[in-house]
Amino acid sequence: MQAKPQLYGLPAYKPGKPISEVKKELGLDKVIKLASNENPYGSSEKAKQAVIDAVMDSAIYPDGYSSVLRHKVADHLGVKEEQLIFGNGTDEVIQFLCRAFLSPTDNTVMADPTFSQYKLNAAIEGAEIREVPLTEAGDHNLDEMLNQIDEHTKIVWVCNPNNPSGNYIGKEAFMRFLSQVPEHVIVASDEAYIEYTIAEDYPDTISLLNQYKNLVILRTFSKAYGLASLRIGYGVAGSELIQVMEPLRPAFNTTAYAHAAAVAAIDDQEFVQKSSRKNREELEKFEAFCKEHDLFYYPSQTNFILIDFGIPGDEIFTYLLSKGYITRSGQALGFPTCIRISIGSEEENKGVIQAMQNLLDERTPGTKS
């Protein structure tokens, strides 16, 4: 049996070890996961109740068109219902885009490092992948990305804010970039962390949809809304572009539980705003730690922070894991001397910051924490 040649050698997604396994392996009573940028405050109580209520109809297939959720999101964003496509997380919407528009004769442009699913799905379609290194500060090099676009380019990816660096692209820079991208090239603006952004010049991309027919916006309920386990995300674009992708969407690709929870979550913006506010307060504690110890960190507009310790990221990861904190080594993310830490609760953050303090003390003889 012979599969597509481009599949051979592609890495499969390797999730981190579950907390229960880490506890058993390391003999720890308590393990805190700060690796996947989840909301440490959970989800809205309204969303939880909506899931409980939805259980009563578990024997019935979900609404394949996500009608109720579609109406709710359209109203929330101020767009038409036909401008939306829903996926099993934004990962699936990325898959729709790649399957619909990429082929072995096409190329796609993206930053490096950035969210891994752009490259993976483009590779599956056999497209040429053009990666443009981030600037030294961790920003998208938009000018060089423009230089990489040619007549065979179909999609250019902009992760804003970027994962894993956390940097964002401001309105002026984004508008200048968007205005120079040829009309035949789709600009995919991935805004998974938009609810956490506080930058005053963060671009309002929804307002640009009527002007730019090649703009696609990706958003999710997995982060600030706290619905990661339900896997629900969506794309927003012109209706013509959405209709091209719709035939690729499986009939029942999102669940009734996800629909119900997301509808209720949108109605509880107080929870989202509270989560964002707490996140910023806690993020500033990590920034203060870095400044105190003269550690470089990437300015984050997300619910995670990427810190450069100047030593192999795997070493930092292993040390923190031994203390009961699961983080992400930068070595797997394209930042070999960094560690990426999801912002947890006040107690969780206090603990992991103390663990990092202990790490620095142990590496500097004669210091005391």
Side-chain angles (χ1 to χ4, degrees):
M1 295 182 289
Q2 184 69 30
K4 291 180 178 180
Q6 60 265 30
L7 292 179
Y8 294 96
L10 280 181
Y13 177 72
K14 295 180 180 179
K17 293 181 180 179
I19 290 176
S20 58
E21 187 175 332
V22 174
K23 284 183 178 179
K24 183 178 180 180
E25 185 177 305
L26 299 180
L28 297 171
D29 294 326
K30 186 177 182 180
V31 171
I32 305 298
K33 182 186 176 189
L34 299 173
S36 300
N37 310 333
E38 296 145 332
N39 188 335
Y41 309 109
S43 56
S44 163
E45 291 300 321
K46 295 178 180 180
K48 294 176 185 178
Q49 186 59 51
V51 173
I52 293 173
D53 294 342
V55 169
M56 299 304 295
D57 294 322
S58 293
I60 302 172
Y61 281 113
D63 172 13
Y65 194 58
S66 310
S67 300
V68 176
L69 177 58
R70 182 178 297 274
H71 177 77
K72 178 66 69 171
V73 172
D75 184 62
H76 179 65
L77 297 179
V79 300
K80 297 177 181 178
E81 294 184 20
E82 57 267 27
Q83 289 183 267
L84 297 167
I85 187 167
F86 292 89
N88 194 278
T90 50
D91 295 37
E92 190 176 36
V93 183
I94 292 167
Q95 185 184 77
F96 296 158
L97 275 166
C98 290
R99 187 169 295 175
F101 295 100
L102 296 180
S103 71
T105 60
D106 304 317
N107 70 67
T108 181
V109 178
M110 64 194 69
D112 178 37
T114 192
F115 187 46
S116 62
Q117 291 301 305
Y118 315 147
K119 182 176 181 178
L120 176 63
N121 282 284
I124 290 172
E125 301 306 324
E128 177 192 353
I129 298 165
R130 298 183 176 180
E131 296 177 281
V132 177
L134 297 174
T135 67
E136 188 174 343
D139 297 316
H140 281 61
N141 187 337
L142 296 178
D143 289 337
E144 183 55 32
M145 290 176 72
L146 284 170
N147 289 337
Q148 291 295 318
I149 295 173
D150 62 22
E151 66 272 20
H152 300 294
T153 306
K154 289 293 184 68
I155 306 174
V156 58
W157 306 89
V158 176
C159 191
N160 194 21
N162 188 46
N163 179 11
S165 64
N167 299 51
Y168 82 104
I169 301 168
K171 178 180 179 179
E172 183 179 345
F174 184 82
M175 289 295 297
R176 185 171 59 250
F177 174 76
L178 187 59
S179 66
Q180 294 180 75
V181 174
E183 293 182 0
H184 75 273
V185 179
I186 291 171
V187 177
S189 180
D190 188 345
E191 302 172 0
Y193 299 92
I194 187 172
E195 289 83 10
Y196 288 114
T197 61
I198 62 168
E200 293 182 359
D201 64 335
Y202 186 85
D204 175 16
T205 49
I206 295 295
S207 66
L208 301 174
L209 288 170
N210 290 333
Q211 182 179 355
Y212 293 96
K213 303 300 182 183
N214 59 334
L215 176 62
V216 179
I217 301 162
L218 306 176
R219 294 191 180 177
T220 184
F221 288 96
S222 293
K223 304 303 179 185
Y225 284 96
L227 303 180
S229 70
L230 296 178
R231 310 305 301 126
I232 184 75
Y234 59 94
V236 197
S239 56
E240 291 184 9
L241 198 155
I242 293 295
Q243 292 310 307
V244 171
M245 293 190 289
E246 271 292 345
L248 298 170
R249 186 180 57 77
F252 304 109
N253 65 317
T254 54
T255 70
Y257 307 126
H259 297 171
V263 167
I266 290 176
D267 282 337
D268 194 355
Q269 289 300 309
E270 182 180 352
F271 171 82
V272 176
Q273 293 164 10
K274 185 177 181 180
S275 295
S276 179
R277 185 170 61 254
K278 286 184 176 179
N279 174 78
R280 180 52 52 176
E281 292 172 357
E282 294 301 312
L283 178 60
E284 289 175 354
K285 295 177 182 179
F286 285 90
E287 293 175 343
F289 171 82
C290 292
K291 292 173 183 175
E292 178 184 352
H293 297 284
D294 198 26
L295 296 172
F296 178 81
Y297 65 93
Y298 292 84
S300 178
Q301 289 286 320
T302 67
N303 65 336
F304 61 81
I305 188 169
L306 186 67
I307 304 173
D308 191 343
F309 279 79
I311 59 177
D314 287 353
E315 290 186 22
I316 313 165
F317 168 83
T318 300
Y319 180 88
L320 294 178
L321 186 64
S322 72
K323 305 302 180 184
Y325 295 95
I326 304 174
T327 57
R328 283 296 302 274
S329 168
Q331 289 190 245
L333 301 173
F335 293 89
T337 58
C338 294
I339 197 80
R340 192 191 73 186
I341 305 172
S342 302
I343 308 303
S345 66
E346 181 178 5
E347 179 183 359
E348 292 167 347
N349 298 331
K350 182 179 180 180
V352 74
I353 288 175
Q354 182 60 55
M356 291 191 295
Q357 177 70 63
N358 295 341
L359 169 65
L360 293 177
D361 290 348
E362 290 177 17
R363 293 184 63 86
T364 308
T367 61
K368 294 183 179 180
S369 59

